Amino acid sequence: MNCQPTAIPEVLLFKPTLHCDERGFFMETFRQNEFDACLTANGMMPTQLVQDNVSRSQRHVLRGLHFQSKQPQGKLVRVSHGEIFDVAVDIRPQSATLGHWVGHIISAENRLQMWIPPGFAHGFYVLSDIADIVYKCSDYYQSDDEQVIAWNDPQLAIDWPLKGEPILSIKDNPQFFSQTTPSSPMMQKIK
């Protein structure tokens, strides 16, 4: 498995090795020792992944930007069917890249996986008719700890590849933020 840093060095892209023949293909999507070796080679501590999740969404669905503050989750994100624009936002208060974001197209076809470490908010936008997103987490989901930054926060200025208005859940709708948060949602969430 190859890995490379992105514009925010702690966010990594992984590409598994594909073994093909006339019957089809095989790829190993995760191996703890190789994952840890890549993290270490990029100046990070090894991280145990403890929970697997699957999310299915239709075209134009935008989910995020989600994070947990008390029990931050790192996420290793891949797409088993379809294509998404995957985004990580640095929300670590002491970070030199606080408020910066990186986004990459992750698909079943390109087989890329994106590592989003703890201390980052995560979101994605679906580019295909349907997308199945599979992600491993470094800590358990806690519903009472989940927080959201508005996907269109002007301080972040994420360049989403939107085709019209995105389909949002109630918690991801910017109107929710304008009613509940007096200033920038991002700054309120990470203070």
Side-chain angles (χ1 to χ4, degrees):
M1 181 177 283
N2 298 319
C3 74
Q4 60 184 344
T6 64
I8 300 175
E10 296 86 353
V11 178
L12 302 173
L13 289 175
F14 286 83
K15 185 152 189 175
T17 302
L18 192 66
H19 304 279
C20 298
D21 64 22
E22 65 281 352
R23 300 167 297 158
F25 72 87
F26 170 84
M27 69 177 175
E28 199 171 74
T29 60
F30 180 76
R31 182 182 284 244
Q32 186 72 53
N33 63 339
E34 289 185 15
F35 177 70
D36 287 344
C38 185
L39 293 181
T40 302
N42 285 280
M44 292 175 273
M45 297 295 297
T47 300
Q48 185 75 26
L49 299 177
V50 299
Q51 179 178 322
D52 276 357
N53 299 322
V54 177
S55 169
R56 172 173 280 184
S57 297
Q58 65 185 0
R59 185 184 298 274
H60 307 303
V61 165
L62 194 153
R63 296 185 187 264
L65 301 159
H66 303 156
F67 68 100
Q68 293 183 175
S69 59
K70 295 177 192 144
Q71 288 184 247
Q73 290 180 302
K75 296 177 181 176
L76 181 62
V77 180
R78 72 181 179 92
V79 174
S80 61
H81 176 83
E83 181 176 69
I84 65 172
F85 182 68
D86 205 29
V87 173
V89 178
D90 190 347
I91 58 171
R92 300 169 298 168
Q94 306 305 317
S95 173
T97 56
L98 172 65
H100 294 209
W101 63 273
V102 292
H104 289 276
I105 292 177
I106 309 292
S107 70
E109 187 176 316
N110 70 19
R111 301 177 316 281
L112 290 175
Q113 298 179 63
M114 191 154 82
W115 169 243
I116 301 157
F120 284 74
H122 173 244
F124 63 85
Y125 177 70
V126 179
L127 300 168
S128 53
D129 288 339
I130 295 288
D132 290 338
I133 299 91
V134 180
Y135 55 103
K136 295 182 173 299
C137 300
S138 65
D139 206 338
Y140 299 104
Y141 173 72
Q142 299 293 323
S143 61
D144 61 341
D145 191 24
E146 183 178 37
Q147 297 187 46
V148 181
I149 298 170
W151 65 274
N152 61 350
D153 187 302
Q155 288 185 327
L156 298 177
I158 296 171
D159 188 16
W160 298 98
L162 300 177
K163 304 287 186 198
E165 287 297 311
I167 301 169
L168 305 167
S169 69
I170 292 172
K171 73 179 178 184
D172 293 337
N173 192 316
Q175 291 177 352
F176 169 78
F177 292 103
S178 64
Q179 295 169 3
T180 61
T181 308
S183 61
S184 168
M186 185 191 118
M187 296 315 295
Q188 287 295 315
K189 293 295 182 184
I190 62 174
K191 284 186 177 178

